Amino acid sequence: MVVINILNKFKLFKEHWTPKKIGELNGQQVLLAKLKGEFIWHSHENEDELFMIIKGSLKIEFRDKTIQLNEGEMYIIPKGTEHKPIAENEVHVLLFEPLAIKHTGNIISDKTIDFFQTI
C-alpha cells in the first residue's frame, strides 16, 4: 500500500477527457480526469458513475434537467441515465467506476478510450 497524493497526480498529465487510473479496489477503479469543453451524450447501462469535483465547476446535462457541481461536491449518476458533462473551464474530477466500464458508455466516438493508463 502507498499513500496517493491526488493533487500531485493531476500534475502528471494535461489531456482532457482522458481518465487516468490511480487505484483499484473490489472490482472498482479510481480515476482522475481533467475535463474541458463538452463531452458526448451517453449512458452506462449496467453501472452507476460517481463524479467528485476536486477543482473547478462541472455542469452535467440530463434530458430533463441540468445540475452544477462545485469543488468538494459529488454526484452519483444512476445506471442507464443518459447524461452529458460540460466543463466551461478546466475541471479536475475523481471518478469511481467498475473496472469494465467504458467512459463513453455504449457510444463509440473519437473520445472513447479502451484502456485507462495508470499513473
Side-chain angles (χ1 to χ4, degrees):
M1 287 192 324
V2 297
V3 174
I4 298 171
N5 184 307
I6 292 171
L7 299 180
N8 285 341
K9 291 290 188 180
F10 275 111
K11 295 175 184 176
L12 299 177
F13 66 99
K14 295 181 181 187
E15 306 88 21
H16 296 120
W17 305 107
T18 308
K20 308 295 184 197
K21 187 185 307 186
I22 61 168
E24 293 182 12
L25 68 156
N26 302 318
Q28 301 284 315
Q29 58 192 338
V30 181
L31 304 168
L32 299 179
K34 292 181 178 180
L35 314 179
K36 188 171 182 184
E38 292 190 17
F39 203 55
I40 61 171
W41 280 103
H42 68 286
S43 64
H44 304 280
E45 186 175 325
N46 299 308
E47 303 94 5
D48 298 328
E49 185 175 22
L50 181 146
F51 283 83
M52 180 170 181
I53 308 305
I54 304 300
K55 177 182 173 187
S57 178
L58 179 69
K59 289 182 186 176
I60 302 177
E61 287 188 357
F62 299 94
R63 293 299 182 181
D64 62 343
K65 66 181 177 180
T66 299
I67 64 165
Q68 181 159 327
L69 298 173
N70 299 304
E71 290 181 20
E73 296 180 330
M74 63 176 255
Y75 189 82
I76 298 170
I77 299 174
K79 64 183 172 186
T81 303
E82 196 173 22
H83 59 285
K84 179 172 80 167
I86 301 171
E88 293 175 5
N89 297 300
E90 186 173 86
V91 179
H92 295 184
V93 299
L94 181 143
L95 306 162
F96 188 74
E97 303 173 342
L99 287 169
I101 199 169
K102 294 236 185 251
H103 72 297
T104 56
N106 58 358
I107 304 295
I108 303 298
S109 81
D110 60 336
K111 295 186 187 302
T112 302
I113 297 170
D114 292 323
F115 173 77
F116 296 127
Q117 176 188 13
T118 300
I119 58 172

